[in-house]
Amino acid sequence: MPRTVVVGVSGGIAAYKTAYLVSALKKQGYDVHVLMTKGALHFVSALTFETLSGNAVLTDTFDRKSEFNVEHVALAKKADMIVVAPATADLIAKAAAGLADDMLTTTLLAARCPVVFAPAMNEAMYHDPATQCNLEVLRRRGAYVMDTGEGYLACGDVGAGRMREPDEILEYMHAVWAELYDMHGVRVLVSAGPTREMIDPVRYISNRSSGKMGYAIAEAAVHAGADVTLVSGPVALPPVDKARMVSVVSAADMAREMTALAPEADIIVMAAAVADYTPKSYEPQKIKKGNGGMTLELVRTVDVLQELSKIKRENQLLMGFAAETQNFEENALTKLRSKNLDVIALNDVSREGEGFDADQNNIRLYFRDGRVQDLGSDDKTVLALRIIDEIKNAYRQLCAR
Ligand code: CTP
């Protein structure tokens, strides 16, 4: 999966919209670096992009403050994708001619990753044969050139040449990634969030899971082109676009849905924090308080993963999570073996600000073949991209055997 995205901004009024694009990419977990042309600096300040991306904005190849001044192609090497938005007629002409007179054009020339251009200019300039010819040159060289929208242009004209909206650019980038990273046709089933075990109509037992890790994994799988189903306990998160959403409440619901959907899945990621115990009986009327204490009798729920491992078919990858507060490796490996998993993601939930109900997590993956991959502490969105990368490779190896 791509991690580093370089956003090139050239000098058009649409540059202000690119701020939203950078912010959205950052939220999706990508390491975003912005390169601006001198013209772009007239429209939006470098500080805007520096604040949104968390990285220094580079403009001039010979900027002595830049860490890239010696090896100015470093960013070109690091980039998994470059998106130029807005791409002005001038920038497009330079890119087509292979000119390299600033940081953006130099990076474009040195880059070997996919490049997306989102053109933005006046209609006459867009339709001019020179621009159309330059766009064709870029396309033939493998660049992804977006079309433009029709509408009101900053020069007062109405017509073609409007830069596509940031959301459309994002969608386009994801479509390119999906094509390149090729999880097409791979069916991924993810569970997320807590379960609620009802005591009476107004009370339940649950846990602190926010669902963020599972949702981030489902989203990363969608972006990689997979066909994703997300079975979710009650959470306060928006649905994952383009994933099939299935809502559940209790551990029993989760078990029913997951076992029904599992035969159709190639990869199953059990990220839900399923309750281990549920009240022995449900009181249909609200329980009234008495004067003394109260004892609630609980019984074990179904271990969903255990059930899934019993019906696991050939070439199906089963991944679980191990949320631990001590004896980390030992507990993770015991769960890997006892639940017959291909991979388990260990997370230390004792750390402040990480794990349950947090944006950050720490993950170490243990594979069936003994391999260990430490993904460290990071934002859940970033970890999700890496998890998808790892399990995609593990799934390919499984199928190749
Ligand atoms: N799990 C499950 N069904 C359950 C409980 C857990 O499918 N009833 C899954 C979780 O989704 C997770 C893995 O099992 O992928 C491990 O969950 P965890 O809560 O860490 O461990 P438990 O197996 O419940 O064991 P313990 O609570 O004793 O640590």
Side-chain angles (χ1 to χ4, degrees), residues 270-272 274-276 301-305 320-324 335 339:
M270 195 67 206
V274 186
D276 289 323
T301 56
V302 178
D303 189 313
V304 185
L305 254 185
F321 272 75
E324 307 294 343
K335 282 176 192 170
K339 303 196 188 203

Side-chain angles (χ1 to χ4, degrees), residues 25 45 117 133 272 297 331:
L25 283 166
S45 90
F117 288 91
C133 176
E297 195 177 344
N331 286 337

Side-chain angles (χ1 to χ4, degrees), residues 186-242:
V186 181
R187 298 161 302 174
V188 180
L189 174 62
V190 184
S191 73
T195 64
R196 276 183 194 165
E197 310 304 319
M198 299 305 292
I199 300 169
D200 68 12
V202 295
R203 304 179 179 97
Y204 58 78
I205 303 172
S206 192
N207 58 62
R208 291 176 56 206
S209 168
S210 63
K212 283 178 186 162
M213 193 68 245
Y215 272 59
I217 290 172
E219 192 168 338
V222 166
H223 292 170
D227 187 354
V228 182
T229 302
L230 175 57
V231 178
S232 173
V235 295
L237 298 172
V240 173
D241 259 2
K242 295 197 185 131

